[in-house]
Amino acid sequence: MSQHLMNTYARIPVRVARGEGAWLFDEDGTRYLDTLTGIGVCSLGHAHPEIAEVIARQARTLVHAANVGHIPLQEELAGRLAEISGLDQAFFCNSGAEALECCFKLARLHGRQKGIAEPQIVVVSRSFHGRTIACISATDSEKVQGGFGPLVPGFLRVPFDDAGSIARLADDRDDIAAVLCEPILGEGGVVVPHDGYLAELRRICDQHDWLFMADEVQTGMGKTGRWFGYQHEGILPDVIAVAKALGNGVPIGACVARDRAGNLFSPGKHGSTYGGNPLACATALKVIEIMQRDRLVERAAELGQRIMAGLRKRLASDDRVVEIRGRGLMIGIETRAACGPIRDAALEAGMIINVTRDNTIRLLPPLIIDDALADRIVDTVSNLIKAWQT
């Protein structure tokens, strides 16, 4: 019963019973088009038959083995992540927050190796990096941080999409070890930086021997129309955090790094009891296989263009809409007023949407939708906004 659950979520009034493809069904059989996908997790949709089969098969074979021995599926998955990311090494964990914690530790080791007593990590405004104490310390949200002080020191905040502010920091400080940012702000309102921003961060980090770290937890695994958000600018970070869609709902996260950063670890420096277990790795390998076979990354780019073009056409004359933005199937519709009522009205229309920062409708539909469902999203969301009484 709900009285036995801690009060940590503002839940919508839907009792989810099952899923099928892009649809969720409640206990009464009412179906909802899921444009949130577990907050960007189920990019292959719900109850994908091939994913279900690999989970069942691996569960009958081996679910967990301690990392004191070699786990072949883990080694294979690390190789596949290196292949699609262009990086070299992976550490496996269970969530995006854990992957970010790994990033923080690598940054501090890098700083200590340079002789910095208290290494600092540059982070950006409107960011979100997770719910651990270190992650909320890196996150730019008083709401997320509220009541949890003292926060972890070691983070310097600058405006997002302003590389010059980071360059100016270098003139004043000699204790910076790394720069961390999301290629597109997710919880921050689906904000896409100007072209060249990430490349400029890469240049600044190279100039000062800092690690450039990308939080790809939400942008990664094809959501933006490339495997990872940084690939739109043709650069390589030193470290990335990956999770969410990597397991299509099976908990798995990864910190993936170039050798210069990954080699900072040695046995005993980091670990995870469940990280990289055979069940999670087998699932993630199948996710990558399906995405490559069905060209779902490329398809995300095509579908995103279709949806955003449709929304811009339908809502061009609505002055309550500030901007429609995004990349691939990561789309935000910013409104002038708080738009929570639209989320509630969407349920009546048979659709699950999300609102972030109070005034941005965030759409993260699965990569497996067809053109008809893409158009349905455009029609439903446009109609909801037009009918919205502000």
PDB file of all heavy atoms in Angstrom, residues 98-129:
ATOM      1  N   GLU A  98      25.707   6.916  -9.748  1.00  0.00           N
ATOM      2  CA  GLU A  98      26.942   6.187  -9.439  1.00  0.00           C
ATOM      3  C   GLU A  98      28.002   6.421 -10.512  1.00  0.00           C
ATOM      4  O   GLU A  98      29.203   6.515 -10.204  1.00  0.00           O
ATOM      5  CB  GLU A  98      26.647   4.693  -9.326  1.00  0.00           C
ATOM      6  CG  GLU A  98      25.907   4.303  -8.065  1.00  0.00           C
ATOM      7  CD  GLU A  98      25.687   2.799  -8.007  1.00  0.00           C
ATOM      8  OE1 GLU A  98      26.674   2.045  -8.064  1.00  0.00           O
ATOM      9  OE2 GLU A  98      24.517   2.378  -7.927  1.00  0.00           O
ATOM     10  N   ALA A  99      27.584   6.501 -11.763  1.00  0.00           N
ATOM     11  CA  ALA A  99      28.533   6.784 -12.831  1.00  0.00           C
ATOM     12  C   ALA A  99      29.165   8.157 -12.639  1.00  0.00           C
ATOM     13  O   ALA A  99      30.370   8.348 -12.863  1.00  0.00           O
ATOM     14  CB  ALA A  99      27.839   6.694 -14.183  1.00  0.00           C
ATOM     15  N   LEU A 100      28.358   9.135 -12.201  1.00  0.00           N
ATOM     16  CA  LEU A 100      28.894  10.475 -11.930  1.00  0.00           C
ATOM     17  C   LEU A 100      29.845  10.464 -10.748  1.00  0.00           C
ATOM     18  O   LEU A 100      30.871  11.167 -10.752  1.00  0.00           O
ATOM     19  CB  LEU A 100      27.746  11.447 -11.694  1.00  0.00           C
ATOM     20  CG  LEU A 100      27.264  12.281 -12.879  1.00  0.00           C
ATOM     21  CD1 LEU A 100      28.361  13.171 -13.420  1.00  0.00           C
ATOM     22  CD2 LEU A 100      26.713  11.407 -13.995  1.00  0.00           C
ATOM     23  N   GLU A 101      29.532   9.694  -9.716  1.00  0.00           N
ATOM     24  CA  GLU A 101      30.447   9.584  -8.574  1.00  0.00           C
ATOM     25  C   GLU A 101      31.816   9.080  -9.038  1.00  0.00           C
ATOM     26  O   GLU A 101      32.860   9.531  -8.562  1.00  0.00           O
ATOM     27  CB  GLU A 101      29.858   8.641  -7.522  1.00  0.00           C
ATOM     28  CG  GLU A 101      28.637   9.170  -6.793  1.00  0.00           C
ATOM     29  CD  GLU A 101      28.995  10.136  -5.679  1.00  0.00           C
ATOM     30  OE1 GLU A 101      30.178  10.239  -5.318  1.00  0.00           O
ATOM     31  OE2 GLU A 101      28.069  10.779  -5.155  1.00  0.00           O
ATOM     32  N   CYS A 102      31.802   8.142  -9.965  1.00  0.00           N
ATOM     33  CA  CYS A 102      33.057   7.637 -10.528  1.00  0.00           C
ATOM     34  C   CYS A 102      33.803   8.757 -11.253  1.00  0.00           C
ATOM     35  O   CYS A 102      35.030   8.888 -11.126  1.00  0.00           O
ATOM     36  CB  CYS A 102      32.749   6.474 -11.468  1.00  0.00           C
ATOM     37  SG  CYS A 102      34.205   5.634 -12.126  1.00  0.00           S
ATOM     38  N   CYS A 103      33.067   9.567 -12.004  1.00  0.00           N
ATOM     39  CA  CYS A 103      33.681  10.715 -12.681  1.00  0.00           C
ATOM     40  C   CYS A 103      34.350  11.650 -11.679  1.00  0.00           C
ATOM     41  O   CYS A 103      35.480  12.126 -11.900  1.00  0.00           O
ATOM     42  CB  CYS A 103      32.622  11.483 -13.465  1.00  0.00           C
ATOM     43  SG  CYS A 103      31.892  10.620 -14.863  1.00  0.00           S
ATOM     44  N   PHE A 104      33.645  11.948 -10.581  1.00  0.00           N
ATOM     45  CA  PHE A 104      34.196  12.854  -9.579  1.00  0.00           C
ATOM     46  C   PHE A 104      35.508  12.306  -9.010  1.00  0.00           C
ATOM     47  O   PHE A 104      36.467  13.059  -8.799  1.00  0.00           O
ATOM     48  CB  PHE A 104      33.203  13.063  -8.435  1.00  0.00           C
ATOM     49  CG  PHE A 104      31.878  13.643  -8.846  1.00  0.00           C
ATOM     50  CD1 PHE A 104      30.735  13.369  -8.110  1.00  0.00           C
ATOM     51  CD2 PHE A 104      31.767  14.468  -9.956  1.00  0.00           C
ATOM     52  CE1 PHE A 104      29.512  13.905  -8.467  1.00  0.00           C
ATOM     53  CE2 PHE A 104      30.532  15.004 -10.326  1.00  0.00           C
ATOM     54  CZ  PHE A 104      29.400  14.718  -9.578  1.00  0.00           C
ATOM     55  N   LYS A 105      35.540  11.011  -8.748  1.00  0.00           N
ATOM     56  CA  LYS A 105      36.750  10.418  -8.174  1.00  0.00           C
ATOM     57  C   LYS A 105      37.916  10.477  -9.158  1.00  0.00           C
ATOM     58  O   LYS A 105      39.062  10.763  -8.773  1.00  0.00           O
ATOM     59  CB  LYS A 105      36.463   8.986  -7.728  1.00  0.00           C
ATOM     60  CG  LYS A 105      35.513   8.914  -6.526  1.00  0.00           C
ATOM     61  CD  LYS A 105      35.153   7.496  -6.152  1.00  0.00           C
ATOM     62  CE  LYS A 105      36.259   6.784  -5.402  1.00  0.00           C
ATOM     63  NZ  LYS A 105      35.807   5.477  -4.850  1.00  0.00           N
ATOM     64  N   LEU A 106      37.632  10.243 -10.437  1.00  0.00           N
ATOM     65  CA  LEU A 106      38.694  10.348 -11.439  1.00  0.00           C
ATOM     66  C   LEU A 106      39.215  11.779 -11.520  1.00  0.00           C
ATOM     67  O   LEU A 106      40.432  11.999 -11.635  1.00  0.00           O
ATOM     68  CB  LEU A 106      38.188   9.898 -12.805  1.00  0.00           C
ATOM     69  CG  LEU A 106      37.994   8.390 -12.995  1.00  0.00           C
ATOM     70  CD1 LEU A 106      37.338   8.105 -14.349  1.00  0.00           C
ATOM     71  CD2 LEU A 106      39.314   7.642 -12.881  1.00  0.00           C
ATOM     72  N   ALA A 107      38.308  12.753 -11.450  1.00  0.00           N
ATOM     73  CA  ALA A 107      38.738  14.150 -11.503  1.00  0.00           C
ATOM     74  C   ALA A 107      39.645  14.494 -10.330  1.00  0.00           C
ATOM     75  O   ALA A 107      40.670  15.175 -10.493  1.00  0.00           O
ATOM     76  CB  ALA A 107      37.512  15.067 -11.520  1.00  0.00           C
ATOM     77  N   ARG A 108      39.274  14.023  -9.147  1.00  0.00           N
ATOM     78  CA  ARG A 108      40.098  14.324  -7.985  1.00  0.00           C
ATOM     79  C   ARG A 108      41.451  13.616  -8.053  1.00  0.00           C
ATOM     80  O   ARG A 108      42.480  14.195  -7.683  1.00  0.00           O
ATOM     81  CB  ARG A 108      39.348  13.947  -6.704  1.00  0.00           C
ATOM     82  CG  ARG A 108      38.193  14.911  -6.413  1.00  0.00           C
ATOM     83  CD  ARG A 108      37.604  14.707  -5.040  1.00  0.00           C
ATOM     84  NE  ARG A 108      36.654  15.770  -4.706  1.00  0.00           N
ATOM     85  CZ  ARG A 108      36.097  15.909  -3.516  1.00  0.00           C
ATOM     86  NH1 ARG A 108      36.387  15.048  -2.537  1.00  0.00           N
ATOM     87  NH2 ARG A 108      35.243  16.893  -3.286  1.00  0.00           N
ATOM     88  N   LEU A 109      41.459  12.388  -8.540  1.00  0.00           N
ATOM     89  CA  LEU A 109      42.738  11.700  -8.711  1.00  0.00           C
ATOM     90  C   LEU A 109      43.624  12.440  -9.710  1.00  0.00           C
ATOM     91  O   LEU A 109      44.840  12.560  -9.516  1.00  0.00           O
ATOM     92  CB  LEU A 109      42.508  10.261  -9.176  1.00  0.00           C
ATOM     93  CG  LEU A 109      42.031   9.259  -8.131  1.00  0.00           C
ATOM     94  CD1 LEU A 109      41.718   7.914  -8.786  1.00  0.00           C
ATOM     95  CD2 LEU A 109      43.079   9.071  -7.027  1.00  0.00           C
ATOM     96  N   HIS A 110      43.011  12.933 -10.784  1.00  0.00           N
ATOM     97  CA  HIS A 110      43.771  13.694 -11.774  1.00  0.00           C
ATOM     98  C   HIS A 110      44.357  14.953 -11.144  1.00  0.00           C
ATOM     99  O   HIS A 110      45.532  15.282 -11.369  1.00  0.00           O
ATOM    100  CB  HIS A 110      42.852  14.057 -12.942  1.00  0.00           C
ATOM    101  CG  HIS A 110      43.502  14.904 -13.995  1.00  0.00           C
ATOM    102  ND1 HIS A 110      44.546  14.459 -14.781  1.00  0.00           N
ATOM    103  CD2 HIS A 110      43.258  16.193 -14.392  1.00  0.00           C
ATOM    104  CE1 HIS A 110      44.917  15.408 -15.615  1.00  0.00           C
ATOM    105  NE2 HIS A 110      44.158  16.468 -15.400  1.00  0.00           N
ATOM    106  N   GLY A 111      43.555  15.646 -10.349  1.00  0.00           N
ATOM    107  CA  GLY A 111      44.051  16.841  -9.695  1.00  0.00           C
ATOM    108  C   GLY A 111      45.177  16.544  -8.716  1.00  0.00           C
ATOM    109  O   GLY A 111      46.189  17.264  -8.678  1.00  0.00           O
ATOM    110  N   ARG A 112      45.002  15.495  -7.938  1.00  0.00           N
ATOM    111  CA  ARG A 112      46.052  15.132  -6.975  1.00  0.00           C
ATOM    112  C   ARG A 112      47.341  14.751  -7.695  1.00  0.00           C
ATOM    113  O   ARG A 112      48.443  15.058  -7.221  1.00  0.00           O
ATOM    114  CB  ARG A 112      45.570  13.982  -6.092  1.00  0.00           C
ATOM    115  CG  ARG A 112      44.461  14.358  -5.125  1.00  0.00           C
ATOM    116  CD  ARG A 112      44.938  15.370  -4.093  1.00  0.00           C
ATOM    117  NE  ARG A 112      43.904  15.763  -3.162  1.00  0.00           N
ATOM    118  CZ  ARG A 112      43.599  15.107  -2.041  1.00  0.00           C
ATOM    119  NH1 ARG A 112      44.256  13.996  -1.740  1.00  0.00           N
ATOM    120  NH2 ARG A 112      42.645  15.550  -1.252  1.00  0.00           N
ATOM    121  N   GLN A 113      47.209  14.093  -8.833  1.00  0.00           N
ATOM    122  CA  GLN A 113      48.392  13.717  -9.612  1.00  0.00           C
ATOM    123  C   GLN A 113      49.156  14.961 -10.088  1.00  0.00           C
ATOM    124  O   GLN A 113      50.373  14.929 -10.255  1.00  0.00           O
ATOM    125  CB  GLN A 113      47.975  12.865 -10.805  1.00  0.00           C
ATOM    126  CG  GLN A 113      49.120  12.199 -11.550  1.00  0.00           C
ATOM    127  CD  GLN A 113      48.628  11.324 -12.687  1.00  0.00           C
ATOM    128  OE1 GLN A 113      48.127  11.808 -13.693  1.00  0.00           O
ATOM    129  NE2 GLN A 113      48.744  10.019 -12.532  1.00  0.00           N
ATOM    130  N   LYS A 114      48.423  16.058 -10.248  1.00  0.00           N
ATOM    131  CA  LYS A 114      49.044  17.317 -10.659  1.00  0.00           C
ATOM    132  C   LYS A 114      49.543  18.132  -9.467  1.00  0.00           C
ATOM    133  O   LYS A 114      50.043  19.245  -9.643  1.00  0.00           O
ATOM    134  CB  LYS A 114      48.035  18.153 -11.452  1.00  0.00           C
ATOM    135  CG  LYS A 114      47.627  17.551 -12.773  1.00  0.00           C
ATOM    136  CD  LYS A 114      46.529  18.365 -13.430  1.00  0.00           C
ATOM    137  CE  LYS A 114      46.968  19.786 -13.708  1.00  0.00           C
ATOM    138  NZ  LYS A 114      45.923  20.574 -14.416  1.00  0.00           N
ATOM    139  N   GLY A 115      49.372  17.596  -8.262  1.00  0.00           N
ATOM    140  CA  GLY A 115      49.837  18.280  -7.065  1.00  0.00           C
ATOM    141  C   GLY A 115      48.839  19.252  -6.473  1.00  0.00           C
ATOM    142  O   GLY A 115      49.209  20.089  -5.628  1.00  0.00           O
ATOM    143  N   ILE A 116      47.571  19.154  -6.855  1.00  0.00           N
ATOM    144  CA  ILE A 116      46.531  20.038  -6.310  1.00  0.00           C
ATOM    145  C   ILE A 116      45.988  19.409  -5.031  1.00  0.00           C
ATOM    146  O   ILE A 116      45.511  18.270  -5.039  1.00  0.00           O
ATOM    147  CB  ILE A 116      45.392  20.234  -7.331  1.00  0.00           C
ATOM    148  CG1 ILE A 116      45.932  20.837  -8.627  1.00  0.00           C
ATOM    149  CG2 ILE A 116      44.290  21.103  -6.743  1.00  0.00           C
ATOM    150  CD1 ILE A 116      44.911  20.916  -9.752  1.00  0.00           C
ATOM    151  N   ALA A 117      46.045  20.145  -3.939  1.00  0.00           N
ATOM    152  CA  ALA A 117      45.623  19.602  -2.648  1.00  0.00           C
ATOM    153  C   ALA A 117      44.108  19.430  -2.573  1.00  0.00           C
ATOM    154  O   ALA A 117      43.611  18.439  -2.012  1.00  0.00           O
ATOM    155  CB  ALA A 117      46.110  20.518  -1.523  1.00  0.00           C
ATOM    156  N   GLU A 118      43.351  20.376  -3.123  1.00  0.00           N
ATOM    157  CA  GLU A 118      41.886  20.328  -3.088  1.00  0.00           C
ATOM    158  C   GLU A 118      41.352  20.591  -4.502  1.00  0.00           C
ATOM    159  O   GLU A 118      40.950  21.707  -4.835  1.00  0.00           O
ATOM    160  CB  GLU A 118      41.327  21.352  -2.101  1.00  0.00           C
ATOM    161  CG  GLU A 118      41.741  21.075  -0.655  1.00  0.00           C
ATOM    162  CD  GLU A 118      41.122  22.055   0.317  1.00  0.00           C
ATOM    163  OE1 GLU A 118      40.301  22.895  -0.116  1.00  0.00           O
ATOM    164  OE2 GLU A 118      41.454  21.985   1.517  1.00  0.00           O
ATOM    165  N   PRO A 119      41.342  19.565  -5.339  1.00  0.00           N
ATOM    166  CA  PRO A 119      40.944  19.746  -6.740  1.00  0.00           C
ATOM    167  C   PRO A 119      39.495  20.208  -6.866  1.00  0.00           C
ATOM    168  O   PRO A 119      38.606  19.752  -6.150  1.00  0.00           O
ATOM    169  CB  PRO A 119      41.124  18.335  -7.336  1.00  0.00           C
ATOM    170  CG  PRO A 119      42.035  17.623  -6.393  1.00  0.00           C
ATOM    171  CD  PRO A 119      41.731  18.172  -5.046  1.00  0.00           C
ATOM    172  N   GLN A 120      39.265  21.115  -7.819  1.00  0.00           N
ATOM    173  CA  GLN A 120      37.946  21.664  -8.076  1.00  0.00           C
ATOM    174  C   GLN A 120      37.422  21.173  -9.430  1.00  0.00           C
ATOM    175  O   GLN A 120      38.191  20.998 -10.383  1.00  0.00           O
ATOM    176  CB  GLN A 120      37.993  23.195  -8.094  1.00  0.00           C
ATOM    177  CG  GLN A 120      38.570  23.816  -6.836  1.00  0.00           C
ATOM    178  CD  GLN A 120      37.679  23.612  -5.623  1.00  0.00           C
ATOM    179  OE1 GLN A 120      36.500  23.980  -5.644  1.00  0.00           O
ATOM    180  NE2 GLN A 120      38.244  23.045  -4.566  1.00  0.00           N
ATOM    181  N   ILE A 121      36.106  20.970  -9.507  1.00  0.00           N
ATOM    182  CA  ILE A 121      35.444  20.580 -10.742  1.00  0.00           C
ATOM    183  C   ILE A 121      34.511  21.708 -11.150  1.00  0.00           C
ATOM    184  O   ILE A 121      33.660  22.137 -10.363  1.00  0.00           O
ATOM    185  CB  ILE A 121      34.651  19.272 -10.567  1.00  0.00           C
ATOM    186  CG1 ILE A 121      35.580  18.129 -10.132  1.00  0.00           C
ATOM    187  CG2 ILE A 121      33.917  18.906 -11.856  1.00  0.00           C
ATOM    188  CD1 ILE A 121      34.838  16.864  -9.735  1.00  0.00           C
ATOM    189  N   VAL A 122      34.652  22.190 -12.364  1.00  0.00           N
ATOM    190  CA  VAL A 122      33.781  23.242 -12.871  1.00  0.00           C
ATOM    191  C   VAL A 122      32.486  22.601 -13.365  1.00  0.00           C
ATOM    192  O   VAL A 122      32.501  21.656 -14.163  1.00  0.00           O
ATOM    193  CB  VAL A 122      34.449  24.023 -14.015  1.00  0.00           C
ATOM    194  CG1 VAL A 122      33.500  25.102 -14.557  1.00  0.00           C
ATOM    195  CG2 VAL A 122      35.757  24.651 -13.550  1.00  0.00           C
ATOM    196  N   VAL A 123      31.350  23.104 -12.895  1.00  0.00           N
ATOM    197  CA  VAL A 123      30.026  22.637 -13.320  1.00  0.00           C
ATOM    198  C   VAL A 123      29.228  23.844 -13.806  1.00  0.00           C
ATOM    199  O   VAL A 123      29.660  24.983 -13.645  1.00  0.00           O
ATOM    200  CB  VAL A 123      29.287  21.908 -12.178  1.00  0.00           C
ATOM    201  CG1 VAL A 123      29.994  20.606 -11.826  1.00  0.00           C
ATOM    202  CG2 VAL A 123      29.183  22.800 -10.929  1.00  0.00           C
ATOM    203  N   VAL A 124      28.066  23.594 -14.404  1.00  0.00           N
ATOM    204  CA  VAL A 124      27.354  24.684 -15.054  1.00  0.00           C
ATOM    205  C   VAL A 124      25.972  24.917 -14.440  1.00  0.00           C
ATOM    206  O   VAL A 124      25.416  24.047 -13.769  1.00  0.00           O
ATOM    207  CB  VAL A 124      27.205  24.427 -16.568  1.00  0.00           C
ATOM    208  CG1 VAL A 124      28.569  24.246 -17.223  1.00  0.00           C
ATOM    209  CG2 VAL A 124      26.312  23.226 -16.840  1.00  0.00           C
ATOM    210  N   SER A 125      25.437  26.095 -14.698  1.00  0.00           N
ATOM    211  CA  SER A 125      24.124  26.469 -14.190  1.00  0.00           C
ATOM    212  C   SER A 125      23.033  25.616 -14.828  1.00  0.00           C
ATOM    213  O   SER A 125      23.175  25.114 -15.931  1.00  0.00           O
ATOM    214  CB  SER A 125      23.859  27.953 -14.471  1.00  0.00           C
ATOM    215  OG  SER A 125      23.894  28.201 -15.863  1.00  0.00           O
ATOM    216  N   ARG A 126      21.937  25.440 -14.099  1.00  0.00           N
ATOM    217  CA  ARG A 126      20.746  24.693 -14.530  1.00  0.00           C
ATOM    218  C   ARG A 126      21.039  23.207 -14.766  1.00  0.00           C
ATOM    219  O   ARG A 126      20.269  22.513 -15.429  1.00  0.00           O
ATOM    220  CB  ARG A 126      20.122  25.314 -15.785  1.00  0.00           C
ATOM    221  CG  ARG A 126      19.572  26.707 -15.536  1.00  0.00           C
ATOM    222  CD  ARG A 126      18.953  27.329 -16.760  1.00  0.00           C
ATOM    223  NE  ARG A 126      17.760  26.613 -17.223  1.00  0.00           N
ATOM    224  CZ  ARG A 126      16.911  27.106 -18.113  1.00  0.00           C
ATOM    225  NH1 ARG A 126      17.125  28.302 -18.636  1.00  0.00           N
ATOM    226  NH2 ARG A 126      15.854  26.418 -18.488  1.00  0.00           N
ATOM    227  N   SER A 127      22.128  22.720 -14.214  1.00  0.00           N
ATOM    228  CA  SER A 127      22.502  21.319 -14.409  1.00  0.00           C
ATOM    229  C   SER A 127      21.746  20.415 -13.446  1.00  0.00           C
ATOM    230  O   SER A 127      21.226  20.852 -12.419  1.00  0.00           O
ATOM    231  CB  SER A 127      24.006  21.147 -14.182  1.00  0.00           C
ATOM    232  OG  SER A 127      24.352  21.523 -12.840  1.00  0.00           O
ATOM    233  N   PHE A 128      21.699  19.144 -13.788  1.00  0.00           N
ATOM    234  CA  PHE A 128      21.207  18.103 -12.878  1.00  0.00           C
ATOM    235  C   PHE A 128      22.076  16.875 -13.078  1.00  0.00           C
ATOM    236  O   PHE A 128      22.238  16.394 -14.197  1.00  0.00           O
ATOM    237  CB  PHE A 128      19.745  17.750 -13.150  1.00  0.00           C
ATOM    238  CG  PHE A 128      19.230  16.662 -12.234  1.00  0.00           C
ATOM    239  CD1 PHE A 128      18.743  16.981 -10.971  1.00  0.00           C
ATOM    240  CD2 PHE A 128      19.266  15.330 -12.615  1.00  0.00           C
ATOM    241  CE1 PHE A 128      18.296  15.985 -10.111  1.00  0.00           C
ATOM    242  CE2 PHE A 128      18.822  14.330 -11.763  1.00  0.00           C
ATOM    243  CZ  PHE A 128      18.336  14.660 -10.507  1.00  0.00           C
ATOM    244  N   HIS A 129      22.606  16.349 -11.954  1.00  0.00           N
ATOM    245  CA  HIS A 129      23.528  15.217 -12.055  1.00  0.00           C
ATOM    246  C   HIS A 129      23.167  14.036 -11.168  1.00  0.00           C
ATOM    247  O   HIS A 129      23.926  13.061 -11.123  1.00  0.00           O
ATOM    248  CB  HIS A 129      24.957  15.678 -11.747  1.00  0.00           C
ATOM    249  CG  HIS A 129      25.486  16.703 -12.701  1.00  0.00           C
ATOM    250  ND1 HIS A 129      25.689  16.434 -14.036  1.00  0.00           N
ATOM    251  CD2 HIS A 129      25.819  18.010 -12.519  1.00  0.00           C
ATOM    252  CE1 HIS A 129      26.151  17.521 -14.640  1.00  0.00           C
ATOM    253  NE2 HIS A 129      26.246  18.491 -13.741  1.00  0.00           N
TER     254      HIS A 129
END
